[in-house]
Amino acid sequence: MQRQYNAVPLEEAAVAAASPAGGGLIKDLLALSKAKVVSLLVFTGIVGELLAPSLTRHWAGALAGLAGIALAGGAGGVINQLIEPGLDQTMRRTRRRPLANGRISRGGGMLFAGVLLAAAVIVLAVWTNPLTLALTLGGTVGYGIVYTLYLKPNTPWNIVWGGIAGALPPLIGWTAVGDPITAMPLVLVGLVFLWTPAHFWPLALCCREDYANACIPMLPVTHGVERTRREVVNYAVATLAISLAPAALGAGPLYGVVAAVAGTWYLTLTLRLKRMPESKAMDLYARHVFKASINYLFILFAALVVGHMAVLTGWVSW
């Protein structure tokens, strides 16, 4: 599908760039690196490290792993915006991004991405191990290039396969402290992988007109609202199912209870979204579900740490 952008007029971009909402350079750099998204990646990486058996023996690797996730994740966010400034101008939720409205030049964005990526490589190469470096760079290339350049404009299942890149931080955190790959970090990767479509597609429902105008084949555009809502429910069910697995891998029964309750809560939200008539109210509720999904993942990963510590200290046992 060929992209056709209806870019924001230069006059409007100039006004937006001059407005106070643009903020200072630091704020723009944080927006360019998608700092909010990166913070979630770092959080899941922290949990991967806290669950790893060798954490206490490899603090330097642990800290370097988190720095690498943050730096490389930020570079991926910049690369994403460097590739598609025209799309960002078209979308209402992204047209105020620094590259889209000219607050930061393309050359400046390229320099920023290069600095972030080079710093990530140096930190990971010096203080972690080749596997951690390879996984981190794989995630950056997977999101910044493979997802942005090939998956997003060509398949409605872009967020499914592109979600692999965003699911890697728990595994990266685990390997950063030197532990071999076992079932636990792989299950955490699978958990984030299945959560991602259920998280993103509610937002895609809200923005379906923008995606249609930009000729981006997001699922609501190609398969309609009903199919998208059905898939959100399907992936919420899958997320609930896999979220219970860590309870048997060391996270303990306390985590299992929290995962069951939280998963049921989020599934209930998606079922309500599925039943609602297509309307403005549905769009608003879809955005609520999108925000709730972030809280859901935070609850799961926080409970992983608490449950694991409860087992280690003997507070709860099987």
Side-chain angles (χ1 to χ4, degrees):
M1 181 179 293
Q2 184 179 4
R3 298 192 189 193
Q4 296 178 351
Y5 300 125
N6 298 316
V8 178
L10 292 178
E11 299 92 330
E12 182 179 337
V15 171
S19 66
L25 178 60
I26 298 300
K27 182 177 180 181
D28 283 343
L29 292 177
L30 290 173
L32 190 59
S33 61
K34 298 191 175 182
K36 291 182 179 180
V37 175
V38 170
S39 67
L40 190 59
L41 300 180
V42 172
F43 173 65
T44 59
I46 289 173
V47 174
E49 292 184 348
L50 290 175
L51 297 182
S54 300
L55 171 64
T56 56
R57 299 194 299 272
H58 297 283
W59 284 107
L63 295 175
L66 297 181
I69 292 172
L71 292 166
V78 179
I79 293 170
N80 168 264
Q81 294 173 71
L82 282 169
I83 291 174
E84 51 183 29
L87 173 61
D88 283 345
Q89 283 191 344
T90 304
M91 300 282 289
R92 285 170 292 182
R93 72 181 182 89
T94 59
R95 63 176 53 171
R96 298 187 63 80
R97 285 176 174 174
L99 274 172
N101 69 7
R103 296 198 306 275
I104 292 180
S105 68
R106 186 173 182 82
M110 294 175 66
L111 175 62
F112 186 42
V115 169
L116 290 176
L117 193 57
V121 170
I122 292 172
V123 167
L124 293 172
V126 173
W127 285 288
T128 64
N129 51 71
L131 177 58
T132 301
L133 175 60
L135 288 170
T136 306
L137 292 180
T140 302
V141 172
Y143 173 70
I145 297 177
V146 177
Y147 168 74
T148 305
L149 200 56
Y150 298 103
L151 295 175
K152 188 173 181 178
N154 292 303
T155 172
W157 307 104
N158 45 38
I159 197 62
V160 177
W161 303 115
I164 295 174
L168 290 176
L171 179 58
I172 294 170
W174 184 281
T175 62
V177 301
D179 280 320
I181 298 175
T182 62
M184 176 64 90
L186 293 178
V187 166
L188 298 186
V189 169
L191 172 57
V192 179
F193 172 72
L194 292 174
W195 166 86
T196 301
H199 155 71
F200 181 81
W201 278 331
L203 179 63
L205 283 169
C206 301
C207 302
R208 61 189 181 278
E209 292 182 4
D210 283 345
Y211 283 123
N213 291 335
C215 295
I216 298 297
M218 289 297 177
L219 194 64
V221 177
T222 60
H223 290 66
V225 171
E226 288 301 321
R227 174 65 182 275
T228 303
R229 294 191 292 186
R230 187 163 67 249
E231 292 296 340
V232 170
V233 173
N234 291 341
Y235 275 92
V237 171
T239 304
L240 171 57
I242 196 173
S243 72
L244 300 176
L249 297 173
L254 178 63
Y255 164 78
V257 171
V258 174
V261 173
T264 302
W265 163 69
Y266 186 66
L267 178 59
T268 301
L269 297 182
T270 65
L271 287 170
R272 181 183 175 189
L273 175 64
K274 182 177 181 294
R275 291 192 298 264
M276 294 182 71
E278 188 174 338
S279 63
K280 183 65 175 177
M282 185 211 73
D283 291 344
L284 293 174
Y285 188 73
R287 188 171 291 275
H288 167 70
V289 174
F290 164 74
K291 294 177 180 179
S293 68
I294 300 173
N295 294 330
Y296 173 39
L297 188 69
F298 178 82
I299 291 169
L300 285 178
F301 274 75
L304 276 167
V305 175
V306 174
H308 180 65
M309 295 302 170
V311 171
L312 288 181
T313 59
W315 184 56
V316 297
S317 64
W318 290 103

